[in-house]
Amino acid sequence: MKKILLIFLSLLLLGLPKSMLAQQKVPILIYHSIDEFKGKGSRELYVTPENFEKQMTYLKNNGYTLLTFERWQDISTVPKPIFITLDDGYKNNLNAFSIFQKLKTESFQPAGTFFVISDFIGRTNRLSKSDLKMLADSGLISIQSHTATHPNLTKEENLKYELKESKEKIQQITGKPVIALAYPLGNTNEHVVAETKKYYSFGLTTTPGPYYKLDNKNENYLLPRIYIKYSTTLDDFAKAVKVD
Ligand SMILES: [Zn+2]
């Protein structure tokens, strides 16, 4: 009897699609500037518009579903879910938006999250209020918080200003909910997570690697991200986003 049960169970397992047995793997990519590198700052924090377009085209041609955090619950239902995030709110992120517009078709809906520093909005090399409103209204870009002044949150005393005020300021500009926070430089700790939980549903680190759903406590506040750099080749990119 026991033997029959075992055979039955093995057959059942063999019959299940691989994806149901494998732990679900979701890449969350992190970018900064989408622009040509002109010698200012760190080259690796740039991805050229040409490379960004090739990378997004790869996702399009390989059946990925681009999500923003408002659709987090969809990771278990859509094919090959992936998140595209851009930190620091640079003006050149408009290049990413143009590429999204260009690649958009009826069957491919690009989507990305811009994490902006609320006190820096409108500076010369950063996105302006009207940029942010336009991006949020496009339905392609979700505008979320990267704090008010980009401090190391683990050493910051005024967490309320960095977390709550930045959220409110961005919401006022876009008219849409701010639910995700990217910790500046990826720095966080138990106290920062506890404070973040008061105002946000998600916290993003820069811990490398894809996200695996484990149902661990606080896992949505310790989301890992995969760096896409200036030197990332399309081959590297394909490996980084591989989900099966
Ligand atoms: Zn940053």
Side-chain angles (χ1 to χ4, degrees), residues 24 26-29 59 64-85 100 108-115 139-142:
Q24 195 183 9
V26 183
I28 306 171
L29 307 185
L59 299 180
Y64 284 83
T65 307
L66 277 56
L67 295 177
T68 57
F69 294 92
E70 294 83 354
R71 292 185 64 196
W72 182 256
Q73 73 284 357
D74 293 353
I75 58 174
S76 47
T77 54
V78 300
K80 297 167 94 167
I82 190 167
F83 291 79
I84 311 299
T85 72
F100 275 180
F108 181 71
Q109 172 77 14
T113 305
F114 290 2
F115 285 102
L140 302 184
I141 307 293
S142 171

Side-chain angles (χ1 to χ4, degrees), residues 32 87-88 117 146 150 183-185:
H32 289 81
D87 279 15
D88 297 349
I117 305 158
H146 196 28
H150 206 270
Y183 308 112
L185 312 163

Side-chain angles (χ1 to χ4, degrees), residues 62-236:
N62 287 277
Y64 284 83
T65 307
L66 277 56
L67 295 177
T68 57
F69 294 92
E70 294 83 354
R71 292 185 64 196
W72 182 256
Q73 73 284 357
D74 293 353
I75 58 174
S76 47
T77 54
V78 300
K80 297 167 94 167
I82 190 167
F83 291 79
I84 311 299
T85 72
L86 287 81
D87 279 15
D88 297 349
Y90 288 111
K91 194 88 172 171
N92 61 43
N93 291 0
L94 289 171
N95 293 328
F97 174 64
S98 308
I99 291 163
F100 275 180
Q101 282 181 308
K102 190 170 152 189
L103 296 179
K104 187 179 185 303
T105 60
E106 222 159 276
S107 57
F108 181 71
Q109 172 77 14
T113 305
F114 290 2
F115 285 102
V116 304
I117 305 158
S118 61
D119 278 7
F120 293 6
I121 294 168
R123 289 190 184 178
T124 0
N125 62 345
R126 312 277 171 161
L127 296 162
S128 67
K129 281 186 186 180
S130 57
D131 291 331
L132 296 177
K133 176 80 177 125
M134 177 279 290
L135 291 165
D137 285 345
S138 77
L140 302 184
I141 307 293
S142 171
I143 309 296
Q144 300 294 317
S145 175
H146 196 28
T147 73
T149 68
H150 206 270
N152 177 348
L153 291 176
T154 64
K155 294 184 178 145
E156 176 59 41
E157 281 176 15
N158 199 348
L159 283 179
K160 200 171 174 189
Y161 181 70
E162 296 295 338
L163 304 178
K164 184 170 183 274
E165 304 282 317
S166 67
K167 172 190 164 104
E168 285 170 358
K169 183 172 175 183
I170 298 163
Q171 285 184 159
Q172 215 161 28
I173 295 169
T174 63
K176 301 217 157 74
V178 169
I179 57 169
L181 175 83
Y183 308 112
L185 312 163
N187 289 326
T188 190
N189 60 22
E190 238 177 274
H191 176 60
V192 171
V193 166
E195 288 302 304
T196 303
K197 266 185 157 175
K198 293 182 184 170
Y199 315 107
Y200 299 88
S201 306
F202 304 95
L204 291 97
T205 69
T206 51
T207 309
Y211 164 79
Y212 289 95
K213 187 165 173 53
L214 300 169
D215 287 323
N216 282 343
K217 185 174 171 258
N218 289 340
E219 71 180 2
N220 287 2
Y221 293 90
L222 297 167
L223 294 174
R225 288 193 287 177
I226 300 165
Y227 257 102
I228 304 299
K229 302 171 180 170
Y230 190 87
S231 60
T232 303
T233 64
L234 196 58
D235 253 14
D236 297 335

Side-chain angles (χ1 to χ4, degrees), residues 30-35 37 40-47 87-88 90 92 227-231:
I30 169 171
Y31 293 87
H32 289 81
S33 284
I34 305 299
D35 208 353
F37 178 68
K40 225 182 131 197
S42 165
R43 184 196 297 261
E44 288 290 49
L45 294 180
Y46 282 73
V47 168
D87 279 15
D88 297 349
Y90 288 111
N92 61 43
Y227 257 102
I228 304 299
K229 302 171 180 170
Y230 190 87
S231 60

